[in-house]
Amino acid sequence: MSEDHKKQLEQQLWNIANTLRGKMNADEFRDYILGFIFYKYLSEKMEIYADTILKPDGISYTDIEEETENGKAYLEAIKEEALIKLGYFLKPSELFSAVAKRGNHKEVSLEEVAQAADPEEDYQTQSNFILEDLQTILNNVQNSTMGTESEEDFDNLFEDLDLNSTKLGKNPSARNEIIAKVLGHLNKIDFKLEQTELDVLGDAYEYLIGKFASGAGKKAGEFYTPQEVSIVLAKLVTTGKTKLKSVYDPTCGSGSLLLRVAKEVKEVNDFYGQELNRTTYNLARMNMILHGVHYRKFDIKQEDTLEYPQHIDERFEAIVANPPFSAKWSANKLFMSDDRFSQYGKLAPKSKADYAFVQHMVHQLAENGTMALVLPHGALFRGSAEGHIREYLIKEKNFLDAVIGLPANIFYGTSIPTCIMVFKKCRENPDDILFIDASEHYEKVKTQNVLTENNIGAIVATYRMFVKKQKLQEGNIKLNNEEWENNENGDFQLKINNSTFEIDKYSYVASLEEVAENDYNLNIPRYVDTFEEEEPVDIDAVANEIESLNSELQDNKETITSFCEELNIKTPF
C-alpha cells in the first residue's frame, strides 16, 4: 500500500470517528471507535486463519453451518487451533462483518448518521437491533480464552465499551442506530490483513490514538507520547543494537512507545509494561495485539508502578518512559528498605516522583541496557533530595550518559519545557556526559511545537557520534533551516573536544569533573553556550549620524519658526 493510500485510510477512519461521535468528548468516543476497530481486526484475523485451515476442504469459514453436527465438529477443531495460535476464538456468526450486516439493512451516509445522533428520533425503521448480540459476542471473546495462556491478556478487554451508555443515545433505539452505522462504515474499509508485510492497520490505529490525544487536552498525557518524542527515545535506546531481548515501559500508556522501539530494530523478543489507568491499560493490550505482537510476547500489567511494581525481578535491555510530570507518590519510609531506593539514602519528595521513576528504571535496567526517559526540565537542577539522588547517580554510580533539552510545548496538555535523560550501566564514555540543547529547534504547527525529521536526526546523530566516538560520514544534519554540510574532510562543521564531537551552540561534552564543579547541577545552559555575540557598534558612524540628525533638526526648527512668525503665533519650542 502506498503512502497516499495509507493516509487515505487514516483519514477515512478519522472521518467516521469525528462524524459519528456526536456531542461526546474525544477521549470518551475514543474507547468506542478504537474498540470497534479492534473487534474488526480480531474478526478478520480469525476468518483468515480459519480459511487457511479449511482450504484443503474447499470451504470458507463463513460457509460453515453452525447448528449442524458437521459444522459443530469443524468449529470445535478450529477453536482448539485458534486458541493456541491467536489466543481467542469467534464463530462465523460472531464475526464483525456478520454483525455489521445484521445491523444495517439500509445504506445511510455519514451526514444522515450525524443527524441520527438526535436522541429524540426513533430509528428502529433504519436498522436491526444488535446491541444485545454485540455485547454477548464481546463477552464471548473473553470467555473463549478462559483457562488458556492468553486469558490474562484478554481479560475484560472490552469493558470500556459500554453499549448502554446514554452518551451514545438517550434510548436503546438511538444507541443501536449509532453503533450499527459505525460498524457499517468500518465494514466497508479493507484493512488488507492478508498482506502481512504491511502494518497498515497498526499505523492507522496509532494515527487515531494521536488524533484523539490532540483533542483530549490534559487527559492526553495519560495515554500518549507524541510520535516525534517516541522516535527520539526509541532511537536512543536502540543505538548500536539490531535485536533486543526485552523492552520495558513502566508507565506504558497506550503502548505506543514500546511499539516504536520495535520499529527501530529487526526483532524484540519480549515487551513489558505497566499502566495505572484501567482504560489505558486495555488500550495498550489492544494496541499490542493489533500490531501483531503475539500474546506470549507481551506482558502488560495494571497497577501503580512505584507502589506495586509487577516486574521487579526482571532486568531489561531497553527501557523507555514518559512518566507523569512531577506526580505525587507516597514516599513511604518503608521504601528505604526497597532495593530500588535504599542505596541512595533518600527518597524523591512526595510532591515530585520524577526521580522515584528514575530509581525504579535504573534498578530494572540490565547491565548491557540503555534507558531513556522524559522529565520536566526542573529535574536537572532541583536541589534537596532530588539533588542528592542526582549526585549519587553521577558520582557514585556513573550511570548518566546524556542530557537532551527539548522544546517547550511539544506535549499535549502542558507547555512546560522538558528534557530527556539517558542512562547506561556500562558506558562507552565513562569520563564524560553529553549535553544537547535542542530547545530552539522545532517547527510550530498551530498551537503545538513539533520536532521535524531533521530535528530528530540532529539529536540522534549527535548522540550516536558521542557513543561511537566517530565522525558521521553520510547525510546532513539540519537544525531548523540551517544545514550542516559535509566539508572537504568528510565530517560536519564540528569542533573536537575530549575525542568526541560537538556542534557549536547545540551540544557539549562535559567531563565528570566539570559536572562536579557545578555541584551536579545539570541545567543545560551551564554547559551548552548558546550566547550570540552582537555585532560590534561603529561609534564614529553613530556619532556622525547623530551630528547629521542634529543639523537636520536645527534646519527644521528654523523653518517652523519662520512659519510661526508669518502667522503671528507662538513657536512650539
Side-chain angles (χ1 to χ4, degrees):
M1 179 178 278
S2 69
E3 189 68 24
D4 286 342
H5 287 158
K6 190 180 91 168
K7 288 181 178 178
Q8 187 179 1
L9 170 62
E10 292 170 348
Q11 195 59 51
Q12 276 181 296
L13 292 174
W14 179 244
N15 286 343
I16 292 172
N18 202 43
T19 304
L20 301 181
R21 75 182 186 196
K23 296 179 181 179
M24 296 173 70
N25 293 330
D27 60 314
E28 293 173 330
F29 197 76
R30 177 196 74 205
D31 301 331
Y32 291 96
I33 192 69
L34 294 181
F36 290 139
I37 290 172
F38 181 64
Y39 168 40
K40 176 176 166 66
Y41 169 83
L42 293 181
S43 296
E44 292 191 9
K45 290 289 283 188
M46 180 71 235
E47 186 174 0
I48 291 169
Y49 182 64
D51 283 347
T52 303
I53 294 175
L54 294 168
K55 191 173 182 180
D57 294 346
I59 62 173
S60 64
Y61 193 46
T62 53
D63 293 334
I64 293 177
E65 296 178 4
E66 296 179 22
E67 301 306 317
T68 66
E69 289 300 318
N70 192 41
K72 290 178 181 178
Y74 268 125
L75 292 181
E76 194 59 36
I78 292 170
K79 180 177 180 179
E80 185 177 342
E81 294 291 327
L83 288 175
I84 297 172
K85 177 69 175 178
L86 304 178
Y88 65 93
F89 174 72
L90 285 166
K91 297 176 186 176
S93 60
E94 297 174 330
L95 296 177
F96 184 98
S97 56
V99 177
K101 287 174 184 174
R102 288 203 296 274
N104 289 273
H105 56 76
K106 173 185 173 184
E107 292 294 326
V108 181
S109 69
L110 285 177
E111 290 74 17
E112 290 176 296
V113 177
Q115 294 170 0
D118 182 358
E120 300 303 319
E121 294 186 29
D122 179 18
Y123 309 118
Q124 283 184 311
T125 58
Q126 294 188 31
S127 65
N128 292 325
F129 198 80
I130 59 169
L131 281 188
E132 291 179 3
D133 273 1
L134 183 56
Q135 189 64 65
T136 300
I137 291 167
L138 297 180
N139 291 338
N140 286 347
V141 173
Q142 175 188 330
N143 294 337
S144 73
T145 69
M146 293 180 69
T148 70
E149 285 185 66
S150 61
E151 181 177 358
E152 184 179 354
D153 298 313
F154 284 84
D155 182 43
N156 290 318
L157 201 52
F158 291 102
E159 67 181 343
D160 294 304
L161 266 71
D162 183 1
L163 303 182
N164 294 312
S165 171
T166 54
K167 292 176 181 176
L168 287 170
K170 186 174 288 187
N171 54 57
S173 295
R175 295 194 286 274
N176 184 75
E177 182 71 19
I178 200 77
I179 288 172
K181 296 308 175 275
V182 171
L183 300 187
H185 284 286
L186 285 175
N187 196 43
K188 297 173 187 175
I189 298 176
D190 184 3
F191 289 156
K192 300 187 183 296
L193 297 187
E194 298 91 344
Q195 301 179 28
T196 54
E197 76 281 1
L198 299 175
D199 191 18
V200 175
L201 184 55
D203 290 343
Y205 205 70
E206 286 288 309
Y207 168 83
L208 282 179
I209 292 173
K211 291 288 284 184
F212 280 121
S214 66
K218 290 184 179 179
K219 292 183 181 180
E222 296 175 3
F223 63 89
Y224 190 70
T225 300
Q227 186 181 27
E228 298 79 20
V229 179
S230 295
I231 293 172
V232 173
L233 292 171
K235 287 183 179 293
L236 292 174
V237 300
T238 56
T239 295
K241 304 282 181 76
T242 56
K243 293 182 179 180
L244 289 173
K245 183 179 179 182
S246 58
V247 58
Y248 170 62
D249 184 345
T251 57
C252 68
S254 63
S256 300
L257 252 177
L258 291 169
L259 293 164
R260 184 69 238 182
V261 171
K263 289 188 175 183
E264 299 299 328
V265 290
K266 294 178 181 177
E267 183 183 351
V268 175
N269 285 351
D270 295 295
F271 299 81
Y272 295 82
Q274 190 165 335
E275 172 55 38
L276 176 60
N277 182 283
R278 181 74 190 183
T279 298
T280 311
Y281 160 68
N282 291 336
L283 184 56
R285 290 186 294 163
M286 288 184 188
N287 209 6
M288 286 286 154
I289 295 168
L290 194 137
H291 277 81
V293 180
H294 195 274
Y295 67 87
R296 292 194 188 98
K297 295 190 67 173
F298 72 85
D299 183 7
I300 309 291
K301 302 289 188 183
Q302 193 250 323
E303 192 49 272
D304 187 310
T305 300
L306 297 179
E307 306 289 341
Y308 307 103
Q310 298 295 299
H311 305 98
I312 198 65
D313 295 324
E314 301 286 347
R315 297 297 178 266
F316 305 107
E317 190 174 356
I319 302 180
V320 286
N322 175 24
F325 299 151
S326 300
K328 294 179 181 178
W329 75 305
S330 70
N332 192 312
K333 290 183 179 179
L334 292 175
F335 281 127
M336 288 306 298
S337 60
D338 188 314
D339 288 344
R340 295 175 295 166
F341 311 111
S342 58
Q343 61 186 303
Y344 296 86
K346 289 190 178 182
L347 295 173
K350 284 185 178 182
S351 60
K352 294 179 178 65
D354 301 314
Y355 273 98
F357 281 109
V358 172
Q359 291 168 306
H360 170 83
M361 292 167 68
V362 165
H363 178 75
Q364 305 238 220
L365 186 64
E367 291 298 318
N368 68 333
T370 304
M371 67 176 250
L373 78 162
V374 181
L375 292 172
H377 202 263
L380 299 178
F381 52 80
R382 291 193 298 247
S384 300
E386 291 181 296
H388 175 84
I389 295 169
R390 191 169 57 242
E391 179 177 343
Y392 187 88
L393 284 165
I394 300 169
K395 182 179 179 181
E396 303 300 330
K397 306 303 289 185
N398 195 14
F399 287 165
L400 182 62
D401 205 39
V403 176
I404 302 163
L406 297 176
N409 200 33
I410 60 172
F411 288 91
Y412 298 115
T414 180
S415 60
I416 65 170
T418 54
C419 66
I420 293 173
M421 297 181 78
V422 183
F423 293 87
K424 286 183 177 182
K425 290 185 176 177
C426 296
R427 302 205 298 128
E428 293 84 355
N429 303 291
D431 299 323
D432 303 315
I433 297 173
L434 173 67
F435 289 83
I436 297 175
D437 185 356
S439 61
E440 297 301 320
H441 303 286
Y442 60 87
E443 185 177 290
K444 194 167 186 66
V445 179
K446 295 182 179 178
T447 60
Q448 206 79 20
N449 294 335
V450 175
L451 293 173
T452 66
E453 186 176 341
N454 289 317
N455 301 149
I456 293 168
I459 293 170
V460 175
T462 304
Y463 176 72
R464 289 180 175 175
M465 283 190 287
F466 168 72
V467 169
K468 298 177 182 179
K469 288 191 174 183
Q470 67 182 32
K471 299 175 183 179
L472 192 65
Q473 298 294 339
E474 298 177 0
N476 301 321
I477 299 179
K478 236 182 183 182
L479 304 180
N480 288 349
N481 295 321
E482 186 174 2
E483 191 166 357
W484 303 77
E485 297 282 1
N486 288 344
N487 66 23
E488 59 190 16
N489 296 321
D491 57 22
F492 291 96
Q493 297 177 1
L494 309 171
K495 62 180 181 181
I496 296 177
N497 181 53
N498 296 339
S499 302
T500 60
F501 291 88
E502 297 173 340
I503 301 176
D504 193 30
K505 303 188 186 305
Y506 184 75
S507 64
Y508 179 76
V509 178
S511 65
L512 294 180
E513 290 78 11
E514 186 176 354
V515 174
E517 288 171 6
N518 279 311
D519 295 323
Y520 300 95
N521 183 320
L522 304 177
N523 199 12
I524 296 172
R526 286 176 176 252
Y527 303 94
V528 182
D529 180 13
T530 58
F531 177 75
E532 296 284 351
E533 289 188 11
E534 294 183 3
E535 292 185 9
V537 178
D538 187 336
I539 300 298
D540 290 338
V542 172
N544 290 335
E545 186 176 357
I546 292 173
E547 186 178 346
S548 174
L549 288 172
N550 284 335
S551 176
E552 188 176 339
L553 181 61
Q554 185 59 39
D555 290 342
N556 289 336
K557 277 185 177 184
E558 291 176 0
T559 302
I560 293 171
T561 300
S562 66
F563 287 154
C564 289
E565 288 176 353
E566 287 181 20
L567 296 170
N568 199 26
I569 60 175
K570 188 177 179 181
T571 60
F573 37 78

